[in-house]
Amino acid sequence: MLTSTIVAIRKDISFIETQICRTTVQGRYLITDHTGYVCDALSLDPKSHCCRVKRDQYSCQGCNLVSQCCKSYEYCVSCCLNPERTHVNQVLKVKIAKPVTSGTYSSLFDYCAGRCRHNSESVIHENAYVSEFHHCFAPPSNNSVGISDTQVEVRLIGINVMVGKQGESCDSVCKSVGQSCVPSKFSFINECGIMQKYMKCRGLCLASIGSDQPAEVAEDAPRNLNPGACLYTRRPSMLSCDGFHQHTKRLCPCA
């Protein structure tokens, strides 16, 4: 009796793995998936949670690419996700919050989704924005060591940098022009290069300790205080809007 064996050959034994996207949840109308696409809720694939419309990946619509700030949260995240614009190795070292014990971001999407939310650098008194471009993905100011003067000036867009009178606090300086002091911007003007653009400094820029800095020592100050010199502090945590000294003129960030 002859028997025949039928062998079925399957050319592809692999299974197609469905990609599951992570998405933003902040917006009312738009959503950004972790691959960098922006769409509305109706254009989101119900199974993969990815945007079905695949156009304009890493869109920077409504963004200022110099300041790295956008008008829209979703487009801020999309623009930030571009690996050519945001370096993964650098942002994964950024702490989620200021405390030393705070952890760091685990992925580029986590960084972009978190950083693009409103933060202390984009608001005044917690209820007003410094600029209409208030969704920013640039690293926080406490990670600003080594950035150029041009980048510093960009981050001061919307800020009125003013030189106060001798013995005057920044709260008083800003109030005199109907504005408020923005403490989160002190770290950007606490630099010799920036102070020298607004003050004479007489060729001297010295490290000091005090809540009245950055500042310029008054010409009539005692000789041991280095009259005419500019002072910056190596302890940014000491900087405050209400600090003042009888022999200095403060450099103030107002808005």
Side-chain angles (χ1 to χ4, degrees), residues 36-166:
Y37 291 103
V38 180
C39 61
D40 57 48
L42 295 177
S43 299
L44 202 67
D45 187 283
K47 293 183 179 180
S48 67
H49 300 290
C50 299
C51 289
R52 286 181 289 195
V53 180
K54 302 295 184 181
R55 66 170 182 267
D56 296 330
Q57 186 179 27
Y58 308 134
S59 175
C60 296
Q61 180 178 319
C63 297
N64 182 323
L65 297 183
V66 179
S67 64
Q68 296 181 305
C69 294
C70 310
K71 297 179 180 179
S72 163
Y73 171 71
E74 288 73 27
Y75 283 106
C76 175
V77 175
S78 176
C79 190
C80 172
L81 285 171
N82 188 337
E84 295 183 0
R85 183 168 290 109
T86 307
H87 301 292
V88 180
N89 293 335
Q90 293 180 5
V91 300
L92 295 187
K93 297 177 183 178
V94 175
K95 289 186 176 294
I96 297 175
K98 290 185 177 180
V100 178
T101 55
S102 297
T104 56
Y105 293 99
S106 60
S107 68
L108 178 58
F109 179 77
D110 286 332
Y111 170 83
C112 295
R115 188 63 189 152
C116 282
R117 293 192 181 97
H118 306 311
N119 57 76
S120 60
E121 294 180 25
S122 63
V123 298
I124 304 174
H125 297 316
E126 301 182 356
N127 60 4
Y129 296 118
V130 174
S131 165
E132 62 178 334
F133 296 90
H134 48 260
H135 296 284
C136 304
F137 57 90
S141 58
N142 58 350
N143 287 75
S144 61
V145 178
I147 64 176
S148 67
D149 286 350
T150 300
Q151 290 174 307
V152 170
E153 291 287 1
V154 166
R155 295 192 185 187
L156 290 174
I157 291 176
I159 297 297
N160 181 17
V161 180
M162 298 185 63
V163 178
K165 297 178 181 177
Q166 184 174 336

